[in-house]
Amino acid sequence: MTYTTVSYENFTGDPFSSLSVDDDTKGALEVLKWAYEAYDSITYACSFGAEGIVLIDLISQVKKDAKIVFLDTGIHFQETYDLIEKVKRNYPSLDIEMKKPSLTLEEQAEEHGSALWKRNPDQCCFIRKIKPLEDALDGVGAWVSGLRREQSLSRSNTDFVNKDERFKSIKVCPLIYWTWEDVWSYIRLNKLDYNELHDEGYPSIGCIPCTFKAESGGRDGRWKGMEKTECGLHTRGQS
Ligand code: SF4
């Protein structure tokens, strides 16, 4: 089966919409092989959560020197930074960039007041995550994300290949059919290193001030007590 390369401008739909997903990776490897063949420049924006560890392992089977970007807000758990160092050792050929915002935490506090995440988390995410990703994706043909359909209602219609209005790019999501159990089966089967906080009640891990233990095992520990449920990387036009 051959697939055509799609760009933001000529996107007419997911070329993998009728892909048979009964293989071991539920279509993920086939989609990744296509993506790394189709795009000269493609970046995986990885948060180093459980899905991220799976995707890094799958991507390394397709493109050993793949570009990975971690949005280093400067306010992540030490366990996350420790995991990134392990991944660098386990996959030495990968090109892992720690992408920092233009403002340090101190500069942000001076310009916008301290603990901006409490008063205006959307603005904080824009400064520390969205703008840095926008810069990282400048000139890039496509980017990879670990979104899964079962994660939330807003992600339930995600396709393998998506027109990304937010970043004017193509977003490739190889894990859309994976369940949380699939993710952990793969991690255990392949004895992958993962963030130790997962064993302490944190299924979804982001910045320290906005990550809490979760009751359900889903994303309900993120931005707990706030109206916010997404950082804005996967929604349209937020600023
Ligand atoms: Fe700021 Fe919280 Fe967003 Fe991190 S997750 S950038 S601390 S609002």
Side-chain angles (χ1 to χ4, degrees):
M1 201 173 214
T2 55
Y3 302 99
T4 50
T5 302
V6 290
S7 66
Y8 178 80
E9 289 75 20
N10 74 12
F11 185 87
T12 54
D14 181 7
F16 291 95
S17 57
S18 54
L19 179 69
S20 164
V21 293
D22 52 8
D23 66 306
D24 285 351
T25 68
K26 295 189 170 177
L29 257 187
E30 182 162 351
V31 171
L32 284 170
K33 283 177 186 162
W34 165 81
Y36 280 87
E37 180 77 23
Y39 299 98
D40 290 335
S41 58
I42 177 165
T43 293
Y44 172 31
C46 183
S47 65
F48 288 84
E51 293 88 351
I53 291 304
V54 169
L55 260 182
I56 282 177
D57 194 67
L58 292 173
I59 289 171
S60 71
Q61 295 170 37
V62 171
K63 177 90 171 155
K64 290 207 174 323
D65 59 350
K67 173 86 180 181
I68 315 274
V69 168
F70 174 67
L71 300 176
D72 185 4
T73 60
I75 197 165
H76 286 285
F77 292 93
Q78 185 56 48
E79 287 87 343
T80 304
Y81 291 113
D82 291 345
L83 174 64
I84 294 171
E85 289 309 309
K86 284 184 194 166
V87 169
K88 285 180 179 172
R89 286 197 294 275
N90 294 343
Y91 306 90
S93 304
L94 289 177
D95 176 10
I96 299 178
E97 180 186 1
M98 306 290 279
K99 183 78 180 166
K100 294 184 187 303
S102 60
L103 297 179
T104 64
L105 283 169
E106 292 73 24
E107 288 166 343
Q108 178 171 298
E110 274 171 31
E111 280 190 30
H112 303 283
S114 63
L116 184 60
W117 45 86
K118 282 187 189 162
R119 291 175 289 106
N120 191 343
D122 285 343
Q123 188 183 18
C124 185
C125 273
F126 181 78
I127 294 168
R128 311 207 75 71
K129 289 182 164 184
I130 295 171
K131 187 66 174 70
L133 182 59
E134 206 169 81
D135 294 344
L137 296 183
D138 188 28
V140 166
W143 66 295
V144 179
S145 168
L147 297 187
R148 295 181 299 108
R149 285 187 175 183
E150 73 160 17
Q151 279 175 315
S152 66
L153 200 56
S154 64
R155 297 179 178 189
S156 61
N157 292 322
T158 307
D159 288 322
F160 280 126
V161 182
N162 306 269
K163 185 174 188 177
D164 182 357
E165 304 283 359
R166 181 65 191 80
F167 295 102
K168 304 279 182 283
S169 183
I170 291 296
K171 182 162 67 176
V172 180
C173 302
L175 301 183
I176 54 173
Y177 292 114
W178 286 51
T179 63
W180 186 234
E181 289 72 31
D182 292 332
V183 170
W184 281 98
S185 296
Y186 188 93
I187 289 173
R188 295 201 176 96
L189 186 68
N190 294 284
K191 297 184 170 52
L192 303 183
D193 286 316
Y194 60 87
N195 195 319
E196 292 169 12
L197 291 174
H198 289 310
D199 292 334
E200 295 175 26
Y202 298 86
S204 181
I205 303 164
C207 299
I208 295 171
C210 303
T211 302
F212 303 89
K213 290 192 180 187
E215 313 290 330
S216 71
R219 286 175 56 81
D220 68 352
R222 301 291 295 280
W223 299 284
K224 212 171 189 171
M226 305 178 197
E227 283 183 18
K228 189 174 172 68
T229 56
E230 298 273 354
C231 55
L233 299 181
H234 305 291
T235 51
R236 291 182 56 173
Q238 191 172 357
S239 64

